[in-house]
Amino acid sequence: MKVAIFIFSDANGGEEALGRLFNGLATAYDFKQRNTDVSIYFQGTGTRWAGVVKQPDHPVHALFAAVEDKVAGVSCGCADVFGARDAAIKNGFDLISVNKVPGTSGLPSIGELIADGYTVLTF
């Protein structure tokens, strides 16, 4: 089994968004503990988490650190649109641009992941 977890919740979205991030990372942690192939992607307004999750005083920091090795990266095009590119680069996230959507610098390809046998979960 292979799982791709997409975090779409907005870092500016309050408790509901934080809950979605937490549960997405907790799901990744569960799969990691089971030795399942799991990858985490930040897309849409979720790219804004790139500037937050590495802060040591953030509530999800410890959980993020436990799954950081499973982060595939941040959607390049979404990071551009939602002002997260600089924070993503500063914090060492890879910018993913394989899906060359017109008018963007590219996004991850959910179609490619599904074709490669991944189950896609969104948070």
Side-chain angles (χ1 to χ4, degrees):
M1 178 176 16
K2 299 187 284 188
V3 180
I5 295 174
F6 279 78
I7 307 294
F8 288 102
S9 70
D10 188 342
N12 299 326
E15 287 183 344
E16 188 273 338
L18 177 60
R20 290 176 59 204
L21 170 69
F22 176 83
N23 281 283
L25 297 178
T27 300
Y29 182 80
D30 184 22
F31 282 119
K32 180 179 175 179
Q33 295 308 302
R34 297 169 184 271
N35 294 313
T36 300
D37 182 353
V38 61
S39 300
I40 303 166
Y41 296 81
F42 293 91
Q43 190 158 326
T45 56
T47 57
R48 292 177 178 154
W49 289 113
V52 177
V53 294
K54 289 193 175 185
Q55 295 173 3
D57 61 341
H58 194 275
V60 300
H61 176 72
L63 176 56
F64 176 78
V67 296
E68 185 172 4
D69 62 321
K70 299 301 179 182
V71 174
V74 171
S75 168
C76 188
C78 294
D80 289 342
V81 169
F82 297 106
R85 180 188 266 270
D86 290 343
I89 292 169
K90 177 183 173 189
N91 287 303
F93 287 89
D94 289 332
L95 295 174
I96 302 173
S97 60
V98 296
N99 183 7
K100 302 298 184 190
V101 175
T104 75
S105 54
L107 291 79
S109 174
I110 293 174
E112 182 178 283
L113 289 165
I114 290 173
D116 287 344
Y118 281 83
T119 298
V120 175
L121 304 175
T122 61
F123 290 87

